Amino acid sequence: MLICFSFEAYSQDNKELARQQVEIGDEIYYEQKAPEVAKEFYILAAQADPDNIKANFMAAKTITETINKGEATPYFLRAYELDPDYRFDLLYSIGRAYQYGLQFEEAIEYYNGYLAKLEKDKEYRGEDKIPNSQVKRRIYECENGIEFVADARNFNITNLGTQINSNSLDYAPVINADETMLIFTSRRKENNLNENVYNDNFPYEDIFMSRKVDGKWLPAENVGIPVNTLYFESSSALSADGQQLYIYRDENNGDLFVSDRKADGSWSPPVPVSANINSSYSENSVSISPDGQTIYFSSNRPGGYGGLDLYKCEKDRRGVWGKVTNLGDKINTPFDEDGVFIDYDSKTLYFSSRGRKGMGGYDIFKSVYEAETTTWNEPVNLGYPINTPDDDIYFVSTKDGKRGYYATVRNGGTGYLDIYMVEIPDMNSDQKQLDKQKINQLAENNQNLTNRNPDKVKAGETKTSETTTSLESASTLQAVQLLLRVEDAATEEAVEATVSMKDMQSGKPVQGQAVAQGIYRFDLLNSKETNYVLAVEKNGYVYKSLKVGIPAATNEAQEFRKKVGLDRASANYKMILNFVYFDFNSARLKEESFDELNRLKHFMVNSPGTRIEIAGHTDNVGPKAYNKQLSLQRAQTIVEFLINEGIDAGRLIAQGYGEEDPLASNDDETEGRALNRRVEMRILEANQASLEE
């Protein structure tokens, strides 16, 4: 009876906790309009009480409104198990989540289930009714997805990293001909001209610019006034010489402007492109031909084929923009077409469409203009993995045609919408010729992808790595070499230390070697960019652990040099325990925290007489008293770990500061709240005599 009573009490506590977390999630979602933050509370509530149907449904709903949308599937499924009639469109929502997760066959099954429900209840008129035509479009997208994933192309896609991307929305990249200038649009909080946010809880659009120096993009900077204002501006096109920037402004329902670059590098006040081009309707993306004589743009003006259509306009002999013409039904559909780019050959058009043979959201297509017939070729989908079931848009190509830049939502990105670079060896090859080459190659090898892997490939699994690996094996990849110098931070003299590296995702350690006094070398051979935890330890010093990103190996040798300065232990020295993780809204340590905690233990063992404070900190989401208590519990968890590992309790103090000592503004996630959610170690007393070697 006691056991049953305890279990019932525990269960009731969990249900009440889940109810409170749903309330907090609702306030954040509906009042603050911050689904990314609300999502965590809904997920926690669903974990605390799996029978809370609202927690499960809202966890799934907010996941599909942020990133990693395929992770919504189990929460939608749980809601369906609890009550199949919780929402009329629940089957459709499950299919949508499966589609986002590339599990197309499962998605089709649930879409068909929803169609059967529609057929059974034809008179239903609720707001959660999804029309038959939309569901059939989704099924068509899934069928395309199965085809595209099975025929994954040889694309090397790389996130441009935090020099360019933020934790918010970054998109609409444009580049000059020599690929030394990148201009793009961002809704980041940092360096935005407007401190406030729009009603969707994101900052207003501003235009940013980065320059490439020695092959690397410098940190992006706001181009400032007069191009940017306190409201919405978006980069749309850049002339080949980088001297004219075409932008979108939210004036007159959305118009196109142009700004000229001055001799001192600043930009002139933007002026409307032309009254012939701008209308009382919306003009969105724009692209200018290399000779500056033809402009392509998107607009929802009347007379099109539906939604946003693509148009073009040419200059007359006087240099004045003339008549605007629709690109026709070879390009436009009843759906939206946007993100237009005319290539350097002045005949290859890239654009994004929500229609045509896509796999969901915006897909990027290519069409070539045939001068002889004065028509555009049938647009070709660039395929997987460039395109995904989410939005893929704003593609621009380099002058040599070997690379492209575009915006997409992908797992492992830095924010919502990120800018990526894609290397496409076959970008300008004819698609039919490519298919023919593939067939011939398979025939010559007397094998196919199925024979290479006898296991059936399920919908949702991709062959990207398999295809990429087989293509890469034809050439010799050169290891990426990391040279690390460890030195005394005060004297800058090289010192010997214990150095280790471990793959952050797999946990696999990497072997390195000492090549000189304080110099260590690691040779890394990865098919994609990989993040590692680099740890440096030495008696008498405070250890350092940091994240290091290593790019994918290529056919050319790459060498990177990094310097780590170690500090001697001294009173009031403070550092963040970067690799200590807790379950959300909990003081329970995650398994991946113990490497960092063991380094802290080694430091304490090798630093007798040193006393430290473990300080917990939170952001300002949730009640202040609750945050302070949670921060203290987390600090105490670490202290208890050290005590259990043999560290004298008298050398340890736990403190919880809650939201009282932020490192940054809590207004945005990555640069604010994420930094403020931390645990710090502060040295209270250091016995220097005992630290000397």
Side-chain angles (χ1 to χ4, degrees):
M1 288 178 60
L2 180 60
I3 292 173
C4 291
F5 177 79
S6 299
F7 178 79
E8 182 179 353
Y10 175 78
S11 178
Q12 291 299 322
D13 287 345
N14 273 15
K15 289 182 180 296
E16 176 60 20
L17 176 62
R19 187 191 66 78
Q20 294 175 5
Q21 288 162 342
V22 168
E23 285 186 358
I24 295 174
D26 286 348
E27 180 180 351
I28 295 171
Y29 181 77
Y30 293 105
E31 300 299 327
Q32 300 180 22
K33 293 183 172 59
E36 181 67 37
V37 181
K39 174 180 71 175
E40 303 297 342
F41 284 93
Y42 290 131
I43 290 174
L44 190 64
Q47 292 172 345
D49 180 12
D51 293 334
N52 188 316
I53 189 168
K54 183 176 182 181
N56 281 279
F57 179 81
M58 290 303 296
K61 176 179 171 62
T62 49
I63 289 172
T64 59
E65 292 177 3
T66 52
I67 56 176
N68 302 333
K69 294 179 173 63
E71 295 177 3
T73 307
Y75 297 102
F76 275 138
L77 287 172
R78 180 58 180 161
Y80 184 75
E81 290 174 6
L82 293 170
D83 183 2
D85 297 318
Y86 181 68
R87 279 182 60 99
F88 188 82
D89 62 354
L90 191 50
L91 285 170
Y92 173 85
S93 296
I94 297 172
R96 199 80 178 101
Y98 271 127
Q99 183 177 353
Y100 280 127
L102 301 176
Q103 295 176 273
F104 299 114
E105 292 178 352
E106 291 85 348
I108 291 172
E109 177 184 347
Y110 279 92
Y111 285 144
N112 282 327
Y114 178 76
L115 287 177
K117 185 174 183 178
L118 273 180
E119 181 65 24
K120 183 179 179 181
D121 197 350
K122 295 181 179 179
E123 302 304 316
Y124 184 75
R125 294 292 183 269
E127 292 183 355
D128 55 349
K129 178 181 179 179
I130 307 298
N132 181 293
S133 59
Q134 183 172 327
V135 184
K136 290 184 176 179
R137 170 69 194 181
R138 296 286 177 250
I139 293 174
Y140 176 62
E141 291 170 349
C142 289
E143 291 170 346
N144 296 334
I146 293 172
E147 176 186 336
F148 291 142
V149 169
D151 190 26
R153 308 279 295 283
N154 181 29
F155 300 143
N156 184 14
I157 302 173
T158 306
N159 189 297
L160 291 191
T162 55
Q163 300 289 77
I164 303 298
N165 293 311
S166 68
N167 69 303
S168 189
L169 299 160
D170 304 284
Y171 49 96
V174 291
I175 55 175
N176 59 349
D178 62 9
E179 206 177 348
T180 59
M181 181 190 301
L182 172 69
I183 298 179
F184 63 97
T185 305
S186 180
R187 297 188 67 182
R188 66 188 66 188
K189 182 71 173 178
E190 181 184 13
N191 297 325
N192 196 295
L193 295 190
N194 194 331
E195 296 180 355
N196 299 315
V197 296
Y198 189 57
N199 57 20
D200 59 3
N201 205 47
F202 284 104
Y204 289 84
E205 286 181 335
D206 265 359
I207 297 172
F208 285 73
M209 182 174 73
S210 173
R211 285 192 170 278
K212 184 182 285 187
V213 177
D214 296 331
K216 295 182 179 180
W217 292 110
L218 299 179
E221 297 180 350
N222 192 306
V223 301
I225 299 171
V227 172
N228 287 321
T229 68
L230 294 180
Y231 302 102
F232 285 97
E233 287 80 31
S234 175
S235 52
S236 286
L238 185 66
S239 61
D241 59 7
Q243 297 303 301
Q244 279 194 319
L245 175 65
Y246 292 79
I247 70 172
Y248 163 91
R249 276 187 172 175
D250 62 339
E251 299 179 15
N252 191 34
N253 288 323
D255 276 353
L256 301 175
F257 289 72
V258 62
S259 173
D260 293 315
R261 190 167 176 81
K262 300 178 182 178
D264 63 359
S266 63
W267 296 92
S268 67
V271 296
V273 172
S274 169
N276 288 348
I277 294 173
N278 289 325
S279 70
S280 59
Y281 294 86
S282 178
E283 283 72 46
N284 288 13
S285 63
V286 61
S287 181
I288 190 81
S289 63
D291 62 7
Q293 297 301 301
T294 307
I295 193 170
Y296 297 81
F297 64 96
S298 62
S299 176
N300 64 351
R301 64 187 62 192
Y305 292 85
L308 288 167
D309 272 15
L310 300 186
Y311 295 80
K312 78 171 184 176
C313 182
E314 297 178 346
K315 284 183 178 179
D316 60 21
R317 297 176 183 176
R318 298 169 298 166
V320 177
W321 292 113
K323 181 182 177 181
V324 169
T325 58
N326 188 296
L327 293 191
D329 60 2
K330 271 294 187 74
I331 299 296
N332 294 309
T333 70
F335 300 89
D336 289 330
E337 278 72 42
D338 202 2
V340 62
F341 174 74
I342 187 68
D343 208 350
Y344 286 88
D345 62 5
S346 296
K347 65 178 183 180
T348 303
L349 190 76
Y350 295 94
F351 65 96
S352 291
S353 176
R354 294 187 185 275
R356 300 199 168 275
K357 190 173 181 178
M359 56 193 296
Y362 275 114
D363 274 25
I364 301 171
F365 291 81
K366 178 182 77 171
S367 179
V368 178
Y369 185 75
E370 294 290 346
E372 296 81 4
T373 60
T374 65
T375 58
W376 294 95
N377 283 346
E378 184 67 24
V380 176
N381 189 306
L382 293 191
Y384 180 83
I386 283 187
N387 289 317
T388 70
D390 214 322
D391 286 333
D392 308 285
I393 193 169
Y394 304 118
F395 179 91
V396 296
S397 176
T398 57
K399 188 175 182 179
D400 60 11
K402 294 181 179 180
R403 292 167 303 287
Y405 294 83
Y406 76 116
T408 182
V409 179
R410 291 176 180 266
N411 294 354
T414 65
Y416 282 73
L417 193 62
D418 279 359
I419 298 172
Y420 287 75
M421 183 186 75
V422 54
E423 297 177 72
I424 316 175
D426 53 15
M427 171 65 76
N428 294 314
S429 300
D430 180 79
Q431 181 62 46
K432 292 182 179 179
Q433 182 63 27
L434 281 172
D435 292 341
K436 183 178 180 181
Q437 290 173 358
K438 284 186 180 181
I439 293 171
N440 290 341
Q441 182 180 359
L442 291 174
E444 291 170 3
N445 295 336
N446 197 24
Q447 60 183 8
N448 55 37
L449 293 176
T450 305
N451 292 336
R452 275 186 242 159
N453 183 3
D455 297 329
K456 179 182 178 182
V457 178
K458 300 179 181 179
E461 297 177 343
T462 72
K463 298 181 181 177
T464 307
S465 60
E466 177 184 295
T467 307
T468 303
T469 302
S470 66
L471 290 167
E472 288 177 342
S473 64
S475 59
T476 304
L477 295 181
Q478 301 294 316
V480 179
Q481 187 178 98
L482 172 66
L483 287 177
L484 174 70
R485 174 182 166 89
V486 181
E487 60 184 36
D488 185 300
T491 66
E492 297 186 352
E493 294 181 358
V495 295
E496 294 183 354
T498 301
V499 180
S500 61
M501 276 184 68
K502 183 178 285 190
D503 188 313
M504 288 188 67
Q505 184 172 4
S506 68
K508 183 179 178 180
V510 179
Q511 296 299 320
Q513 58 179 315
V515 295
Q517 171 77 13
I519 307 295
Y520 303 85
R521 193 183 89 183
F522 294 86
D523 294 315
L524 303 135
L525 193 64
N526 299 311
S527 60
K528 62 180 181 179
E529 184 176 352
T530 306
N531 290 323
Y532 294 89
V533 175
L534 174 66
V536 183
E537 301 174 80
K538 181 175 176 61
N539 288 351
Y541 292 83
V542 183
Y543 73 91
K544 286 282 181 70
S545 54
L546 58 153
K547 183 172 80 170
V548 177
I550 301 297
T554 66
N555 295 335
E556 297 180 0
Q558 301 175 73
E559 180 184 281
F560 293 88
R561 296 171 182 256
K562 190 165 190 63
K563 183 190 299 182
V564 173
L566 295 180
D567 298 285
R568 287 191 174 272
S570 60
N572 292 318
Y573 181 88
K574 184 190 297 185
M575 75 172 184
I576 297 174
L577 304 179
N578 287 316
F579 300 101
V580 172
Y581 308 101
F582 295 90
D583 288 341
F584 181 75
N585 207 25
S586 167
R588 184 171 57 191
L589 285 164
K590 290 189 174 182
E591 184 177 351
E592 54 264 39
S593 303
F594 292 106
D595 285 343
E596 179 80 356
L597 292 178
N598 281 321
R599 286 189 282 269
L600 178 59
K601 179 193 74 173
H602 295 155
F603 167 71
M604 294 299 292
V605 169
N606 295 319
S607 306
T610 296
R611 294 176 60 249
I612 64 172
E613 173 190 87
I614 302 297
H617 302 268
T618 69
D619 57 28
N620 66 350
V621 176
K624 181 179 290 187
Y626 176 82
N627 285 340
K628 190 161 188 175
Q629 179 63 23
L630 177 62
S631 66
L632 176 60
Q633 290 173 346
R634 289 179 169 178
Q636 288 174 332
T637 298
I638 295 176
V639 166
E640 290 170 4
F641 169 85
L642 294 172
I643 292 173
N644 290 335
E645 292 294 315
I647 305 301
D648 185 352
R651 300 172 61 195
L652 307 167
I653 293 177
Q655 292 285 1
Y657 294 95
E659 60 191 68
E660 296 173 2
D661 186 22
L663 291 178
S665 169
N666 281 295
D667 289 340
D668 85 281
E669 176 60 20
T670 299
E671 301 300 330
R673 292 191 294 268
L675 292 175
N676 296 331
R677 297 191 297 267
R678 68 196 190 278
V679 179
E680 294 178 337
M681 182 274 286
R682 181 166 70 94
I683 297 177
L684 302 174
E685 180 181 342
N687 186 343
Q688 290 292 341
S690 66
L691 296 175
E692 298 298 329
E693 294 183 303

